[in-house]
Amino acid sequence: MDSYSIGDLLPFVKASAPGKIILFGEHAAVYGRPALAVPVAQVHADVEVLASTRKGIWIDAPDIGLHTELGTLPPDHPIACAILQVFQLVGISNRPDLTISIVSSIPVAAGLGSGAAVSTALIKALALSLDISLPLEQINQIVYEIEKLHHGTPSGIDNTVITYNRPVFFIKDVSMEPFKAGKPFTVVIGDTGVPALTRESVGDVKRLREANMKHFETLFNEIARLSLAARTAIENGEPFLLGGLMDQNHALLQEMTVSSPELDRLVNAAREAGAHGAKLSGGGRGGNMIALADENKAEHVAQALIAAGAKQSIITQVS
Ligand code: MEV
């Protein structure tokens, strides 16, 4: 495709992508162990693309204070990279004139997949605007490339669960299997409000593993066992078994040094308020934790998290 004029573009389109939580297996996922993640619809990134009479591609992302023309961004800026990758894929040499607005309710650097969700929504909206159909597999691949800019060596689980927007059992470079809960269950999410970059915790775990390979491989194998047991429990409709597995997973993550006093405080508060189990979720060191709660106790657990210092809590159902 050579050039676009306004007539070739859809005048106005929008697309969204959800946040995510890792139920089991973060960090171990980077080393080829299985992990489970689910989308969180309560928070999302939303992108609107408007065919414009103003020259250029204008990006308006108030959440991150970005109001600029594409050409002012370095090509490895995650937003620029998403746009350029779509253009390259479609083979556009003459860029269309567009206004792109990006808003997101997913907290940044909080382990909820904000970067992957923005990239996914942006790519989906751009493809719609250009009236092309991109298979989810291709979107997932582009988002993964962009994730590498954010995180260095991501496993690919965040982009996968967000692009496909369904619960996934994931093994890096091996498989991505959607799964279904035999019985729905409720998860309460608590945000420490402490920003933490996944790139840093993943980098630290890499260094610690290199210094103590045997110990870390044992930790990862233990986590793999928990992820497999969790998948079986979820699919067999025995979610009550997940609480104990979450507690064990949190202890292993503590041993990996990726928890923090704030995360531990929220994990303990959730347990004391009657949750069946709790753990950090995502890269750790800050960001979010999750707790398994009976549906009728979830609000109580959410309030206990706020009382213990959480900046925000979300109640979500996995089904
Ligand atoms: C981040 O959500 C999960 C990590 O395992 C990193 C990754 O798998 O890319 C910490």
Side-chain angles (χ1 to χ4, degrees):
M1 210 166 290
D2 282 343
S3 75
Y4 267 93
S5 64
I6 283 219
D8 300 319
L9 293 167
L10 294 192
F12 176 70
V13 298
K14 359 185 204 186
S16 297
K20 65 88 197 163
I21 46 174
I22 308 278
L23 290 180
F24 290 92
E26 50 275 273
H27 287 289
V30 176
Y31 299 91
R33 299 333 193 264
L36 296 161
V38 297
V40 177
Q42 286 85 346
V43 286
H44 37 89
D46 303 291
V47 175
E48 295 180 352
V49 179
L50 188 72
S52 169
T53 46
R54 181 168 55 158
K55 275 261 155 275
I57 296 176
W58 288 86
I59 301 150
D60 193 24
D63 299 327
I64 51 167
L66 191 70
H67 306 274
T68 194
E69 207 282 323
L70 176 64
T72 65
L73 294 175
D76 64 352
H77 185 286
I79 290 177
C81 184
I83 299 171
L84 295 173
Q85 291 254 3
V86 173
F87 287 170
Q88 194 184 345
L89 200 77
V90 181
I92 292 179
S93 49
N94 240 341
R95 292 178 186 173
D97 298 320
L98 300 171
T99 300
I100 299 174
S101 78
I102 303 172
V103 288
S104 174
S105 55
I106 310 173
V108 175
L112 294 183
S114 129
V118 166
S119 303
T120 304
L122 177 53
I123 294 164
K124 285 186 174 174
L126 263 182
L128 276 175
S129 162
L130 300 171
D131 205 15
I132 53 166
S133 114
L134 282 185
L136 289 180
E137 218 179 304
Q138 211 157 16
I139 296 174
N140 191 27
Q141 193 52 44
I142 304 176
V143 182
Y144 183 45
E145 292 308 315
I146 300 164
E147 283 289 283
K148 290 183 190 165
L149 298 175
H150 284 289
H151 298 322
T153 54
S155 64
I157 190 169
D158 290 8
N159 46 283
T160 302
V161 64
I162 287 171
T163 311
Y164 287 90
N165 194 6
R166 52 196 302 189
V168 293
F169 174 84
F170 178 88
I171 304 178
K172 183 184 178 189
D173 298 332
V174 174
S175 64
M176 178 302 261
E177 294 167 30
F179 69 88
K180 262 199 175 147
K183 194 169 164 197
F185 57 94
T186 305
V187 173
V188 185
I189 305 169
D191 189 350
T192 60
V194 178
L197 294 175
T198 303
R199 172 194 282 277
E200 282 173 15
S201 62
V202 168
D204 287 350
V205 169
K206 180 167 183 272
R207 278 184 290 280
L208 290 166
R209 174 179 174 268
E210 275 158 14
N212 198 344
M213 187 69 79
K214 205 165 156 221
H215 180 53
F216 271 72
E217 285 297 303
T218 307
L219 293 177
F220 295 155
N221 287 339
E222 277 295 295
I223 290 176
R225 187 182 59 76
L226 298 176
S227 293
L228 290 169
R231 180 186 181 173
T232 306
I234 292 171
E235 289 184 329
N236 287 350
E238 299 173 322
F240 51 89
L241 294 175
L242 298 178
L245 299 174
M246 281 185 182
D247 288 344
Q248 290 178 55
N249 197 161
H250 187 68
L252 293 164
L253 289 160
Q254 283 175 316
E255 222 174 311
M256 253 184 230
T257 79
V258 295
S259 193
S260 70
E262 294 84 358
L263 281 165
D264 289 343
R265 187 164 62 235
L266 296 189
V267 163
N268 290 333
R271 290 173 185 156
E272 278 161 23
H276 296 296
K279 62 180 277 292
L280 72 85
S281 179
R285 297 269 167 81
N288 278 266
M289 49 69 68
I290 57 173
L292 179 78
D294 291 337
E295 201 180 348
N296 59 2
K297 289 220 186 101
E299 193 50 56
H300 176 65
V301 172
Q303 279 168 17
L305 290 175
I306 298 291
K311 296 289 167 294
Q312 196 193 349
S313 73
I314 297 169
I315 298 172
T316 191
Q317 281 263 325
V318 179
S319 52

